[in-house]
Amino acid sequence: MNDSLDAQLKDTVRYLGATLGETIEAELGSEWLQKIEQIRQDGRDSYANETQCTDRLTALFSSLDNQSLLTIGRAFAQFLNLANIAEQEYNSANQRDESLANSLEKIKAIGADKDKVQAAIQNLNIDLVLTAHPTEVTRRTLIHKHRELASQLQALHTSGLSERDSAKIKTRIAALISQAWHTEEIRSVRPTPVDEARWGFSVIENSLWEAVPEFFRELEDYLKDEFDITLPLDAKTVQFGSWMGGDRDGNPFVTSTVTEEVLMRARRRAAKLFALDLDALYIELSMNDCNAHLRDLVGDAKEPYRAVLKDIREKLEQTRDDLIPIEEWVNSNDELLTPLLACYESLHECGMGVIAEGALKDTIRRVHSFGVNLLKLDIRQDSDRHADVFSELTLYLGLGDYAQWSEEDKQAFLLRELSSKRPLIPRTWQPSDDVQEVLKTCDVIARHSKESFGIYIISMARKASDVMAVQLLLKEAGVSWPMPVAPLFETLDDLNNSPAVMRSLLDIDWYRGYIDGRQYVMIGYSDSAKDAGSLAAGWAQYESQEALVALAAEKSVTLTLFHGRGGTIGRGGLPAKAAIHSQPPGSLTGGFRVTEQGETIRYKFGMPQLAKRSLSIYAAAVVEAMLSPPPAPRSEWRETITKMAGKARDNYRGVVREDPEFVPYFRVATPEQELGKLPLGSRPAKRNPSGGIESLRAIPWIFAWAQTRMVLPSWLGVMKAVESVISEDKDDVVQDMISNWPFFNSRLSMLDMVFKKAEPHISAAYDARLVPDNLKHFGEGLRAELKDSIASILRILDHTDMMEDDPHGKLSMEIRGGYLEPLHYLQIELLDRIRKEGSSSYSDNDIATLERAMMVTITGIAIGLRNTG
């Protein structure tokens, strides 16, 4: 841990907090500032288990009117936002000290020779897929202010700054904090899928556009210096995909029209960014000397480089401004690469390589990473929606109901139609609106280029026919290229059955011809953990991947595993390196594809320095895992984890699925009902609006438990299962697994972090005020297991406190703890007021104030805990 940077982080948080205090005082007066300062002090002491401070907070909040509670909530949510910004700047400062070479030091330690490193680099393919999962609670207008604030902090911490410049920066910081304080922090309406896509585009424009070529430069320099390896100019090392505007699973607002609009907007945004690049190149490339090839392209032009770029530059501008028909837009990467590469090669041949290796090379790298479509859009849809198409169609054709057929009959029908040259769908057929929407989506795919799309993902895929059905729909729509279709195996049973499903597909000759040796499979983390608990799901995910890797090797197929991870352990979240090294050996052969979800996008990629740092961590971890794969589990490890997973699953389901008191307790002990009013993302909170806990999406499920600091989905049943197995004389085996098996070690490390964020005394406060007497014992039982679990992991890891191995993470949580404490007690007061029968006597204005204050506390707690979903 860098002590000087840690001291700077604490000082920065105090400075930003004091500046916010000045803003509040300017608006509300010194009496309000004193009140908030006292609450902050009590919050800090309450976090340190000073119960009289907790009692003071509770008594104060119960005595205040609704508007005052809103003001206090806003203040502490802003404090936590500022703490996050300070930490972002801290991480950027660390990036200045941590080059990619530092991240890749382990490669040299492995002792890999040049040939092995070169092979690993050639196979290095990191595909990051930005998703619109609704855990980004901060409005985009505030994100822009926060980014500028972080930039100002960087400037403030520059060495050798004059007093005049320092004062100027501090004035700007004060203005930005005041702007944020006087800006509405809660969206008035949910973002649309197009809004979410535009937010994703902004992440690229404001951060990744700069970070990607910088990352390539560092990687290139390292490989040249250490191994004399040249990184190919067309290296596909890092690429980007998106679900924003393509993920229609349970989201009625993502339609074929929306998908088409997002595709068009992405192309125009790419044209805008590449036009800016070419403007800069046009200024730089004023030279006269060129090679024969370039001279043939431009004739007797005096400035050949500018001449060859002129047409594509104008076409980019026309595409950007939508001034020409869509078919005349810049449509392919080759349209950009042809003139750029002609300039690059000419400059090298004419002794101007130093120019070629500058901004021109950066632009070429961007074409390979982003392309003229900016992002490759994935399409995701539930398997039942595809089956519905064929049910309606076969009934219309007099063939019976597809949904009632056996799996063998479905496969035979689909294979016959896939091999047929005649169309299946009659022109006169008028299907239902839902079926028509599925068909329109396939039509959109057919109208756009292969380069516009990533893969087609089938949610809740359970049978081989689920995959073949999509391939037939694409064929019928006229898609002329074999779009990769990936089954998403989500529940515990589906993960366990996935090898059999994929084997039945790969045994079909037609299917193997269609995929041309490349298969994508998506592994679902959220729903499997919600179904069976984090440990049982984690082991099922591991075994599934292990079997799929072996099957792909047997069938001579390149397998790309797509990891649908979220931010929390309950959604598969692990630090990037730990996640990669937790996978089975051989699972990276086909590349590394992973979702980047919700607020983690901003924390990992929201600033260029942070983005470069994240890309470096990914690259180093993947290369290291390729050169030195994690060990396959020994037989005694496999036996032990299988027993643990089974016990953990039974423990978890015994509470969540089998205890009749669980759902009533969950509904009153957490703000689950109130979460539905928070306009986080475009998707509804439930797949089925009338359904119960089983239909609740994994994200609000996790989100609700985080609010009360029970964080239950991440740990329930796990340590009880671990202790049960240890009691069977397995302590030595468990310690061996911790020391030598990254899969198991990383799960305990993540639980260590979860337990640092868990606060039983806060959960107890929610229960005391909100849970009826007949259910209070239920919460007491859960907290007893939580406390036992914390004691258990400390004993097993031989630690005296949580997060001993992650001092910066521990410091970060302790800085936030004092600010979070008041928000929890404020939320309890608000929930009590909102739920009481007497609330019907409130005026419309009172209700609006209460609900807004509630949303502010939910947002503030999510901001403070960070990896909420």
Side-chain angles (χ1 to χ4, degrees), residues 22 265 276 294 391 546 599:
E22 292 168 5
R265 284 177 177 268
L276 290 171
L294 189 57
S391 286
E546 195 176 42
E599 84 280 17

Side-chain angles (χ1 to χ4, degrees), residues 404-473:
Q404 303 302 317
W405 296 356
S406 68
E407 174 64 13
E408 292 74 17
D409 287 343
K410 287 179 181 177
Q411 287 190 33
F413 167 77
L414 294 167
L415 189 58
R416 184 170 63 251
E417 295 300 330
L418 281 163
S419 303
S420 173
K421 296 194 183 328
R422 61 161 175 75
L424 169 65
I425 299 176
R427 291 185 180 181
T428 55
W429 181 42
Q430 290 295 318
S432 66
D433 289 345
D434 283 350
V435 165
Q436 188 66 55
E437 181 54 43
V438 173
L439 297 175
K440 284 181 177 178
T441 297
C442 294
D443 288 341
V444 169
I445 296 170
R447 287 199 303 273
H448 291 266
S449 68
K450 177 180 178 180
E451 289 74 22
S452 299
F453 296 100
I455 63 179
Y456 196 121
I457 300 138
I458 309 165
S459 299
M460 294 297 172
R462 295 190 168 92
K463 302 288 184 181
S465 60
D466 291 332
V467 177
M468 297 166 69
V470 172
Q471 290 164 331
L472 180 53
L473 288 170

